[in-house]
Each structure stands twice: as C-alpha cells, then as structure tokens.
C-alpha cells in the first residue's frame, strides 16, 4: 500500500501551508476597527463566497454539520456529486469509469448513509463492471446517476436529532435543488456549456446546463425549471488478474504431475500463487446523463408557503469490455509449465513459460473476451411541502412525496473467441513491473481470426427497482423565548425488487450445443468470419507496460455474434439468488425540545428528544424454485442530545450523544441464497437471513470550532460509535455439493463448479449465512482548516485554503481508509478565480483474509488532483477551464498479504473548456 514521492510532496506542502498560514492568520486578530469596517462592506462572491456560506450553515447548526454551496447558478464545484462531497471532512469516495460513485463516511460504507433529496429519502442505483461492484442491489446511493448542476446545496449531518428520520449510522446527506422564491422578483436565467476532451480516449464530450426562474413582484408566486445534459466517452485501459491462486498443473519442467520433482513447487500445497486470469483489457464507456427539475412555489398568505418540486434523471450508458486473457483458473490441468521463477517474499510464481491445450469440452484457456452492456437508470421524484404558521408561536411543516428509481441492464452479453489447438511458449513475467507484466502469446498470433473459434456466450439481463412513498408532519411551538417544543409523525414505505436471468443456463453456454447452430465437423466452435470481429489497436497509451507486449488483438463483434446464434431468442433461466424483493413500512414519531440558555456567562443551545419507530419487513426470495415470503417487525427507541457551548464569540464546543440504527443490507434479508460457481473449490453458497436485526449503535461526538477570523475556521472533531450488532458471515458447514440440496443444473454452464460436476466430481461447498453478530466500535477524529489569506499583502491576499484530515480506527469493520485528506488552494479576485484540489485516501480492505491469513482483497491508496478556473468577461458571462485527474491516477485493486495486482486501470485526464452566463 504505496504512495508516490509526488503524493508525499503534495501532502507535505499542504501541511506546511497550514502550519505557516494559521499562526499568521491568528495574529490578525489585532486588526484595527477601520480594517474591520472595510471588510464588513466587501461582498464575498464566487468560490470564496460559497465557502463562506457553507461555514455559516455549519456554525448555526445544532449538531455536527458540513455543507457545500454552489458558488453560482449552474456552477457546482465538481462534475459529479460524489466528487463534491469528498471535500467534506470524514468522507471518501470510490470511483467507476473515472468518476465518483459511492461515499464512505467516517469509516462506514454507503449502505450506512441515508440520502435525502429536497427533504425526502431517496435511493438511486446503477451498474458497473464486475471489478467495480457490478449491479448495485444494496441501500448504497449511486451519485454518478445525477448531474451536479441540478443541485445548489449539499448538507451532510454526521450527528442526529430526534426530528431526523432514522436509518443512518454514518451520516444523512441532504441534496437541495433550486426553488423560485430563492431568487429576486422577475426573471432569472442562467446556463453553462462545456466541451471536454480526454487525453486517453481522445474523444470530445459536451456538457450543458440551464435554469429559468420567474417570481412575481409580490414575491409570493414563482416557477422554476432547470435542465442538465452531458454526453461522455471514457476509455479505461489496464491489466488485471481476477485474483491469484495455487493449483495443480499437468506437468512441470517436462515431467507429469504429481510425480514430477518440481511439481511441489507450484501445486496446491506449495502456497505459491499464480494469476488466475492474467489479461490486458480496454473498457469503453459511453454515458448520457439528463436531468430535469421543476418547482412551483406560492404563498397564499403571509403565513403559508406551498412548494411543489419535481426531479427527473435519466442515466444511459453502454460499456464495451475487451480482454486478451488466459484462464489459468480451474484449467491448470491443461497447462504444462516449461519453466518458472518464484518470488519467495510474495509467495508467487512471478514468471513462467507454458504450453496450453484445449479443454475436453472444446473451449480453450486462451481467449479473447468481449462483453457489451446496455444500462439505464430512470429516477423520478415528486415532493409537496407546506409550511404554515398557525399563530405567532405555532408552526407546522408537512411533506408528502414519491420516489421511483428503475435500473435496467437488458443486455449483458459476453462472447468468447478461443484459441484453436495447442499453443506453445506462452509467457508472463512480473519481475520487471508487478502491475504491468510482460506477456507473450508464443505460437499464437492474436490478430489472426483463423487461429480462433467462436466457442461460448453468456447473456445475463438484470434489473433493480427501488421506490419510496413518504408522509411526514411536524409541529413546532415556542414554549417561551428559550424553548421550542416540536413533535411529529412520519410514515415511509419502501419497496425493492431485483431480477436476473441467464440465457446460457437454458441450453448451455457452448455455441455448438445451441439449437439451430451447426458447427463444422470436428470443430470446437464456429469459424470467425469478417463480420464477427474487428482488430483492437493502439492499446497501452501511458500504461507503462513493456514495449514488447502486443498492442492489437482480435475482438468479438458482440452484436453480430449474438445475432448469429440467436442469443436473444433463448429464454433466460431465472437466477434465484438475484431474484428477490423487500417491502418495508416504517412508522416513526418524535418529540424534541430545542433550547437556548446561559450557563453562567456561556450561551448554551441545543436539542434533546426521543424518536420511536416501528419497522415491518416482508422479504421474498426463491428457495428450491419456489418464492418464499417472510414477515417480521421490530421496534426502536432512539434518544438524542446535542449541546453547543459558545465558549467565546468565536469558539464553539459541540457535544452529541444518540442512539441510532441502520436497517440490514437488502441482500442479506432474502430467504433464498446465492451460489458462487467460479471461485473454488471450496465453492460457497451464501444463504440470506430475513430474521436479521438492524445495526444499532450509540454514538458520541465532541468538536471544537474556532472561527478566528471572517470566513475562517480551525476545527477538531472526535467521534466514537459503540455498535451493538455487527453482522457475522459464518460458515455453518462445509459439505459435498450433493449434500447441499441444490440441483446439479444450478451452476452456470462452463463455470468451474459445473465442469467439475460434469466430470463426475462432488466438490466441497461452504454454506454461509449472515447472522446477528456481536458488538463492535469505530472511532476517529477530523481536523479542518479554512481561511482566505486576506491578511497577506497585495495579490497574495486573493489566495485562500480549505483542507481537512480524517483518521478512523476499527477492528470490527472493513471498507474504510485509516487516513484521508482533502486540500484546496484557491485564488480569487474580481474577475479571475482558480483552485487546485487534492484528495488522498489510504489503502483499504474490501474482503478479509481467510483462515490461512491469505486472499485478502482491497484497494490501494489513491491521490486525485483536479484544477478549476474561471474568468469573468462581464457581469453576465464567465469563461471556464477545468482539468480532472491531472496526474492520471490509476485505480489499483490489490490481493493477498503481498498486495498483488488485481486491477490496475487508468482513465486519463479530462480537460473541459466552457462558459457560464446569468441574467
């Protein structure tokens, strides 16, 4: 888990800037009254103004809150919502196709974080490559489905109050779209246009956004519409291994195994791993993102405001994946090891020369794999909010709305072109570079279609649907000048459904065995004619692989190959483990008192209250071909207390304690199960558990915030979460497949488990089930610093800095980086603005080690550097330039204790040129 010298330099420079600037800034407290008066008349706008507004939100909050405010209409500071949110202390993101997808807050993953849009809980999901998590069937929110231009404020609340809906252990993220009464009377118009260029894909990508708002002169009625559209092509190239393993080869150094004297050096007892599927690959992502918002507000009286908001988002994508690979996995019996070297420090076969033969079923370990996906997410939300003052002391807020998110992956087709006959002299060598090895395909010409055959296909259409229906009402009563009493009730209905079918499970995946397909006599597949393939070329730009590696190879035309075998005319067999659903109904009530008192000479404000919630769950899954539904319910009582002590006018001490809960993962609630047919033996069967209790925790927070100057802050926050119930994934038993009760036809055709069963074997299967677990804890701290350098002379006074550092510790959870920081250095004057933003996170674990202390999975440390600038031509028009991922940071997934390469991909640097206007 490595960091480059550049990363270390930048981190050191950022810390030095904080160390030098902070004491100097503190000395400015002695400014003269004249200076203070002058500063108070300056109107702060632009990026600096957005930071100041966010600071105001944080300072006035009852709990621990951070915010991001758009610096102007259609000018949110990042291309993607997740990219923006990562600037907040305690938040890190993961990326898919070069942009943020999900967030982690204070060590807790996306399934522990609630997202609300315009005050109503929502969930939007999409899909990704297998190495990036595939289809999202969890409670985690995929932020890449939305254009950031649709929103003008993000508020992240890391503590809770009784008035806030339950369901989060990490944070509640509130996204706000614009409303017409946010603007002055009359017409407001704004828009932006940008054109992006990616230096790896060498493609241009347009991006547009616009807003039109009108408010009458009385400012009691307004209408607003906004739209955002982008069309983006991203190329992703790199190397991957699909993990590492040991196995028994056919022979080693010319002598058959297991008798050969050198076989023991690389067999299953040697503990020396080789890559499972070493491959270079290119992924081409074409994405179109459309967002629309509409809002109508009116005030029929001075005491009533009615707001109707609508949000629509459509995220369409196609993804083409092409790999030139060798399936060592479960096919080592067809491979002779002619020579090899060992890296004893890493326990791997780090180089080798191999002769490779076809499998008995006609497939071959050497393959050109092509996959084509069509993906679409439709998101629709309608929200009605009414604020009414019944009297000078009694107020009410009422919210009702619906959310519907539908993800569809109707085409997920994979075509395999396999080598024909024996291939001699295939080599790989990691000794020169552990991430981009030298690979040579020996006697095989990987650009010659006559040396390949179309042997196998897969198609796995799937879908995910999520919906919310919310009703909530709250009353507030001014008990006296110091106490506000409030209470409310909420009803939330949530429905989740997911489906998956597999066409290759109906008649098998082998092309020659499909109805209506006739292969030439003695052939292992269909011949590859000119319409079935193309040549991938120009591979490896800035990848760092050896110059001797192939940069071109034959790739399938997936559409033509699928049509040839009538793949889409084959009915799909239902995939039991991914055909399931959950229905939840949550009824919550709360009472709360907000107060302001003097404790001696110290002003104290805060809130105390309790929330009670009943949850009823119906979980449906498929067990032995039959749909089974299990119903259960549980109750939670959740008290909370937030106290804020204004120790001085510029110094705030916050303390919070609360009981919180988060509902179980959707995948764990199914009565059915899921079989992993590709990783083993032993293979695994994961059974769901609809009887799971929610995660429950007591959270403690304390923070000290020093607002030592205008628009400036130094803060320290400590948090501790005492979790009562972490889930345990237990192995109930390890049995032969025949004793699991699962049908022999369940494993997908051509999977390793299927092949072993067809060969007469009875492989071992570990039957796993998630169960209610024991206690655990998470703790950590956040440090933040923000300041415009107005104390410096001349042009230097236009600079400023915002940065934060987060440290998290836990022995009980995975998926978090122990250390992460964000830093932004900016410059802003009356016409020109520029900022350089860095985000770094440590390596983190995504799957724990096995009982032998191996096979740990994780993601290596990352450092992302972005630049944004604008120049004001006049009061209406700004020119913009941005550069995303300046250092072309690689996504690096790692495996085993030696941090072996699992995925090593990059997406290039993206440059955007554009303009914004406002009227």
């Amino acid at each position: 888990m490595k960091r480059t010298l550049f990363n270390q330099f930048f981190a050191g420079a950022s810390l030095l800037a904080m160390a030098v600037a902070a004491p100097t800034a503190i000395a400015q407290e002695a400014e003269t009254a004249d200076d203070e008066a002058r500063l108070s008349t300056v109107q702060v706008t632009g990026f600096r103004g957005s930071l100041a507004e966010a600071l105001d939100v944080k300072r006035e909050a009852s709990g621990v809150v951070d915010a991001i405010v758009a610096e102007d209409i259609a000018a949110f500071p990042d291309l993607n919502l997740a990219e923006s949110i990562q600037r907040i202390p305690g938040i890190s993101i993961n990326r898919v196709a070069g942009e943020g997808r999900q967030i982690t807050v204070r060590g807790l993953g996306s399934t522990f974080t609630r997202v609300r849009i315009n005050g109503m809980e929502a969930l939007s999901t999409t899909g990704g490559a297998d190495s990036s998590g595939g289809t999202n069937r969890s409670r985690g929110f995929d932020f890449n489905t939305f254009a950031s231009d649709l929103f003008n404020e993000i508020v992240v609340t890391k503590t809770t109050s009784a008035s806030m809906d339950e369901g989060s252990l990490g944070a509640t993220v509130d996204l706000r779209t614009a409303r017409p009464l946010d603007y002055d009377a009359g017409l407001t118009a704004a828009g932006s246009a940008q054109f992006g260029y990616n230096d790896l894909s060498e493609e241009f990508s347009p991006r547009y956004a616009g807003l039109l708002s009108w408010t009458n002169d009385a400012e009691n009625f307004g209408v607003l519409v906004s739209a955002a559209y982008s069309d983006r092509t991203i190329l992703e190239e790199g190397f991957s291994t699909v993990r590492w393993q040991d196995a028994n080869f056919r022979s080693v150094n010319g002598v058959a195994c297991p008798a050969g004297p050198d076989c023991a050096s690389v067999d299953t007892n040697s503990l020396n791993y080789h890559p499972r599927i070493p491959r270079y690959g290119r992924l081409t992502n074409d994405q179109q993102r459309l967002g629309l918002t509409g809002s109508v507000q009116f005030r029929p009286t001075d005491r009533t405001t009615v707001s109707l908001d609508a949000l629509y988002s459509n995220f369409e994508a196609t993804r083409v994946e092409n790999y030139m690979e060798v399936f060592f996995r479960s096919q080592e019996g067809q491979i002779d090891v002619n020579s090899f070297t060992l890296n004893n420090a890493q326990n791997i076969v780090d180089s080798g020369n191999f002769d490779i033969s076809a499998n008995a079923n006609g497939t071959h370990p050497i393959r050109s794999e092509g996959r084509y996906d069509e993906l679409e997410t439709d998101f629709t939300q309608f929200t009605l909010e009414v604020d009414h003052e019944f009297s000078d002391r009694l107020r009410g807020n009422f919210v009702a709305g619906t959310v519907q998110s539908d993800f569809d992956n109707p085409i997920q087709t994979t075509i395999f072109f396999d080598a024909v006959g024996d291939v001699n002299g295939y080599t790989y060598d990691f000794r020169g570079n552990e991430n981009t090895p030298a690979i040579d395909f020996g006697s095989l010409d990987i650009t010659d279609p006559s040396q390949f055959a179309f042997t196998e296909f897969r198609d796995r259409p799937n879908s995910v649907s999520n919906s919310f229906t919310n009703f909530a009402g709250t009353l507030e009563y001014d008990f006296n000048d110091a106490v506000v009493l409030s209470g409310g009730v909420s009803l939330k209905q949530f429905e989740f459904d997911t489906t998956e079918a597999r066409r290759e499970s109906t008649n098998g995946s082998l092309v020659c065995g499909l109805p209506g397909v006739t292969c030439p006599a003695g052939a292992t597949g269909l011949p590859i004619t000119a319409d079935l393939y193309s040549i991938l070329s120009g591979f490896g730009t800035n990848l760092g692989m050896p110059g001797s590696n192939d940069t071109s190879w034959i790739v399938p035309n997936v559409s033509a190959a699928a049509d040839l075998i009538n793949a889409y005319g084959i009915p799909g067999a239902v995939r039991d483990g991914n055909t399931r659903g959950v229905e939840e109904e949550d009824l919550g009530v709360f009472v709360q008192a907000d107060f302001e008192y003097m404790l001696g000479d110290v002003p104290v404000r805060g809130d105390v209250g309790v929330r009670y919630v009943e949850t009823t769950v119906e979980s449906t899954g498929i067990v032995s071909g039959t749909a089974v539904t299990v119903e259960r319910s549980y109750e939670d009582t959740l008290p909370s207390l937030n106290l804020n002590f204004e120790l001085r006018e510029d110094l705030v001490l916050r303390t919070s304690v609360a009981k919180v809960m988060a509902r179980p993962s959707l995948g764990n609630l199914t009565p059915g199960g899921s079989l992993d047919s590709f990783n083993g033996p032993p293979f695994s069967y994961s059974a769901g558990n609809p009887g799971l209790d929610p995660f429950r925790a007591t959270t403690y927070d304390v923070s000290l915030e020093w607002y030592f100057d205008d628009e400036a802050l130094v803060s320290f926050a400590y948090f501790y979460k005492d979790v009562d119930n972490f889930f345990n994934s237990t192995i109930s038993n390890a049995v032969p497949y025949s004793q699991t009760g699962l049908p022999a036809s369940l494993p997908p055709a051509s999977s390793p488990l299927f092949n072993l069963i067809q060969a007469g074997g009875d492989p071992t299967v570990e039957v796993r089930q998630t169960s209610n677990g024991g206690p655990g804890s998470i703790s950590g701290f956040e440090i933040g610093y923000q300041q415009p350098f107005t104390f410096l002379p001349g042009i230097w006074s236009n600079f400023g800095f915002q940065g934060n550092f987060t440290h998290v510790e836990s022995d009980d959870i995975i998926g978090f980086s122990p250390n992460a920081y964000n830093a932004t250095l900016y410059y802003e004057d009356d016409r020109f603005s520029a900022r350089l933003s860095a985000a770094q996170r440590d390596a983190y674990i995504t799957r724990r080690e096995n009982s032998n202390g191996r096979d740990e999975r994780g993601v290596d440390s990352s450092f992302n550097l972005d630049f944004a600038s604008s120049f004001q031509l006049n009061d209406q028009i700004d020119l913009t330039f941005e550069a995303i991922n300046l250092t072309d940071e690689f996504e690096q997934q790692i495996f085993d204790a030696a941090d072996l390469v699992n995925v090593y991909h990059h997406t290039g640097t993206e440059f955007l040129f554009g303009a914004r206007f406002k009227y």
Side-chain angles (χ1 to χ4, degrees), residues 456-511:
E456 196 170 9
F457 91 106
R458 297 175 189 157
D459 187 57
R460 300 175 177 181
N462 61 90
S463 67
V464 179
S465 176
N466 296 283
S467 67
F468 283 95
T469 303
N470 288 0
F471 302 92
T474 301
L475 292 175
E476 288 186 354
Y477 178 70
D478 296 337
F479 183 74
N480 56 37
D481 291 342
V483 177
V484 177
L485 301 178
S486 61
V489 60
S490 64
L491 176 64
K492 179 174 62 182
Q493 295 176 322
F494 169 64
E495 294 186 9
F496 159 81
D497 288 290
T498 182
T499 64
E500 182 180 334
R502 297 193 172 184
R503 300 187 197 276
E504 72 271 18
S505 295
T506 301
N507 298 306
S509 64
L510 299 178
V511 168

Side-chain angles (χ1 to χ4, degrees), residues 535-555:
I535 299 294
L536 183 150
S537 61
F539 179 83
T541 302
N542 297 325
L543 184 57
M545 70 179 188
S548 59
N549 281 12
D550 292 295
T551 60
S552 301
W553 66 84
I554 183 174
V555 298

Side-chain angles (χ1 to χ4, degrees), residues 118 176-183 213-216 219-225 294-300 304-310 383-387:
N118 293 328
R176 280 285 177 185
T177 59
R179 286 175 166 175
L181 297 186
D182 296 340
Y183 304 105
S213 180
W214 177 83
T215 302
N216 64 358
E219 297 189 7
N220 57 14
F221 178 79
V223 179
L224 179 148
V225 293
S295 180
V296 178
Q297 284 187 293
F298 67 98
R299 295 187 177 121
T304 305
T305 301
V306 179
S307 304
L308 177 63
D309 299 296
T383 308
L384 175 65
E385 183 173 10
V386 180
D387 292 287

Side-chain angles (χ1 to χ4, degrees), residues 394-421:
L394 181 64
R395 299 170 297 280
N397 173 267
F398 307 93
V399 178
T402 63
V403 179
Q404 182 70 44
S405 174
D406 295 307
F407 167 71
D408 192 21
N409 189 180
I411 296 178
Q412 190 192 97
T413 307
T414 304
I415 301 296
F416 292 101
F417 288 174
D418 285 3
V420 176

Side-chain angles (χ1 to χ4, degrees), residues 619-897:
S619 304
T620 301
I622 297 178
V623 180
S624 300
T626 301
V628 175
T629 298
V630 177
E631 181 176 338
R632 68 161 305 198
S633 60
Y634 48 85
E635 304 170 355
D636 288 275
T637 301
L638 307 170
S640 61
L641 172 65
N642 294 284
L643 293 173
N644 300 284
F645 302 88
E646 295 190 17
L647 304 179
R648 292 197 321 242
E649 186 178 354
D650 61 354
L651 191 63
V652 179
L653 174 66
R654 302 183 193 271
T655 61
S656 299
V657 59
K659 285 189 175 295
V660 296
M661 60 87 79
R663 295 180 175 90
S665 168
L666 296 170
N668 290 332
L669 287 174
T670 177
S674 178
L675 177 67
D676 183 351
S677 304
F678 290 89
N679 299 297
F683 300 92
S684 65
Y685 178 73
S686 299
N689 184 355
L692 290 173
D693 292 328
F695 296 93
R696 295 185 172 104
T698 303
T699 63
Y700 305 89
D701 291 82
V702 59
S703 68
L704 187 64
E705 300 165 6
W706 182 20
Y707 299 87
F708 58 88
D709 202 351
D710 291 335
E711 308 167 47
L713 168 70
V714 170
S715 65
F716 176 86
Y718 174 81
F719 57 89
Y720 178 81
K721 301 178 187 294
D722 184 7
V723 185
D724 297 330
N725 177 35
F726 268 120
F727 298 161
N728 290 328
S729 180
T730 59
I731 301 174
S732 56
N733 55 347
V735 298
Y737 185 86
S738 60
Q739 297 180 23
T740 63
L742 300 173
S745 59
L746 181 59
S750 81
S751 68
L753 178 56
F754 176 88
N755 292 336
L756 289 171
I757 293 173
Q758 293 301 305
D762 197 6
T764 301
V765 175
E766 294 178 343
V767 180
R768 302 171 179 267
Q769 185 177 44
T770 301
S771 59
N772 293 312
S777 65
I778 309 160
S779 64
F781 62 84
E782 301 165 353
I783 301 172
Y785 166 60
Q786 174 178 325
Q787 186 180 19
F789 297 159
T790 53
F791 54 86
L792 293 176
I795 193 173
W796 301 105
S797 64
N798 296 323
F799 283 89
F801 182 84
Q802 180 195 38
N804 58 76
F805 172 81
T806 302
H807 175 74
V808 181
E809 293 183 359
S810 178
D811 294 328
D812 305 293
I813 65 169
I814 59 176
F816 68 91
S817 297
N819 299 294
Y821 74 79
N822 292 281
T824 297
L825 179 67
Y826 66 89
Y827 173 89
E828 190 162 274
D829 60 28
D830 292 341
R831 303 189 68 181
F832 179 69
S833 174
R835 60 183 180 271
L836 189 66
S837 299
Q840 194 273 344
R841 66 179 300 184
D842 283 355
Y844 59 94
I845 298 169
T846 57
R847 182 164 177 169
R848 297 186 189 276
E849 62 190 21
N850 61 20
S851 57
N852 296 321
R854 301 198 68 177
D855 295 4
E856 175 185 284
R857 302 183 201 175
V859 178
D860 207 354
S861 59
S862 63
F863 175 86
N864 286 83
L865 188 65
D866 303 325
F867 174 80
S869 63
S870 65
F871 177 76
Q872 186 181 55
L873 281 181
N874 52 46
D875 290 342
Q876 284 77 42
I877 299 176
D878 291 348
L879 301 180
T880 63
F881 169 72
E882 301 177 41
I884 310 300
N885 191 18
L886 274 168
T887 59
D888 190 14
E889 181 74 359
F890 279 65
E891 176 198 358
Q892 186 166 3
Q893 299 179 25
I894 48 182
F895 183 78
D896 200 43

Side-chain angles (χ1 to χ4, degrees), residues 123 256 371 518 525 527 768:
L123 177 59
R371 173 171 157 176
T518 302
R768 302 171 179 267

